Each structure stands twice: as C-alpha cells, then as structure tokens.
Amino acid sequence: LAEAPYLCILNNDTVVFAGWLEEMIALAEADETIAMVNPSSNTSGEVPPAGMPAEAYAASLRRHAGETQELSNCRGFCMLLRRAVVERAGFFDEAYDLGYFEETDYSRKISRLGFRIVRAKGAYVHHAERASFKRLDRADARFGRNERIFN
C-alpha cells in the first residue's frame, strides 16, 4: 500500500544508527541497476572491536559512504527494495514458511532480472540474530521445509 519509491523491510530485533536509511537510499538513487540493499551489520561480519560501542562503530563506518559490496543475496533482517523492481518482480513467494530462504529466493529472482544486490558499507544496523525466532516452535522443521522448497 506504500507509495514511496523504496520499501524497507526491518526486523523487530534490530537497532539502527544515524544515517543508515539515508545511505542505503542514496546508493540506490545513484545507480538504477541496484534493486536491493543491505546495510553493514554484525550479521555480515561487521562487528565492533571489543570495548567499542556499536554507535561509535557505526559512526566510524560513515567514512565508507557511497561504497558498496556486491552480494549474491540480501539478508532479510534489513533490506531496502526499489519499488519499481518489486512491481516488476512481484512479492516474496508465499510457499515459504516464516523465516528461512524467502529472501534468498527473492534475491535470485531479482538477479535473474538483471538487477544488482549490494551492501551499503557506510550504513550500519545491529541485528540480534534469531531473537524473534526463539519464541517460535519447530524452527528446525521450518528451516528444513523451506530449504526443500528453495532447492
């Protein structure tokens, strides 16, 4: 129902830091071939050094504003999507159960259309990985089912 040119999916187990969304949008605005953007994150191996607060680490990454890393797929904890591409590609496949492989499947669909998927090196979002799934039953069964659908 949103009418903005970009859509952002953001999990409830994340902490965002200054400039994260603006940086992700700026990258997409600068290159029409970019359809999906992930921020830098502990989920992608960007972990603050021992004793450094996450906010200070996020600020230190701003020196990489405008820089990207090519990705084969976006991780679902935080992703920016170009609305025009979503309108062309459709939505996530509803065959998947909650939480696993749906963003990988969608990323492949976007790549097949010729669009790029990138990580915004200058944006940072901390992800408390799997915090939302600790309350769900049968996570292993859910993972296995979704893996079979993906394969």
Side-chain angles (χ1 to χ4, degrees):
L1 296 176
E3 296 179 3
Y6 299 97
L7 307 171
C8 185
I9 297 172
L10 182 67
N11 279 16
N12 65 346
D13 60 351
T14 57
V15 178
V16 300
F17 296 95
W20 70 280
L21 185 57
E22 294 84 354
E23 175 63 11
M24 292 169 65
I25 290 172
L27 291 172
E29 294 266 315
D31 186 339
E32 290 186 2
T33 67
I34 295 174
M36 299 175 78
V37 182
N38 265 156
S40 295
S41 176
N42 56 302
T43 298
S44 61
E46 291 287 335
V47 180
M52 181 181 227
E55 188 170 3
Y57 185 66
S60 77
L61 292 180
R62 286 192 219 127
R63 71 183 183 277
H64 296 292
E67 297 178 21
T68 63
Q69 174 190 9
E70 296 292 321
L71 301 175
S72 60
N73 64 280
C74 246
R75 294 189 173 171
F77 74 97
C78 175
M79 63 171 67
L80 182 78
L81 304 162
R82 184 182 296 277
R83 174 186 211 53
V85 176
V86 171
E87 289 173 351
R88 182 172 163 193
F91 301 112
F92 284 23
D93 190 332
E94 292 184 29
Y96 290 95
D97 199 352
L98 182 66
Y100 304 102
F101 291 97
E102 73 276 8
E103 75 267 38
T104 305
D105 178 76
Y106 196 73
S107 295
R108 299 281 161 80
K109 182 190 279 191
I110 297 301
S111 291
R112 283 192 301 272
L113 290 174
F115 292 98
R116 295 173 54 216
I117 300 166
V118 301
R119 175 175 67 93
K121 290 184 175 185
Y124 191 76
V125 174
H126 177 80
H127 181 213
E129 298 172 346
R130 294 179 187 81
S132 299
F133 290 96
K134 288 178 183 174
R135 295 182 181 177
L136 295 178
D137 293 333
R138 305 180 54 231
D140 290 341
R142 192 179 317 254
F143 180 92
R145 179 184 179 279
N146 283 2
E147 184 178 38
R148 287 188 295 282
I149 291 169
F150 179 75
N151 289 334

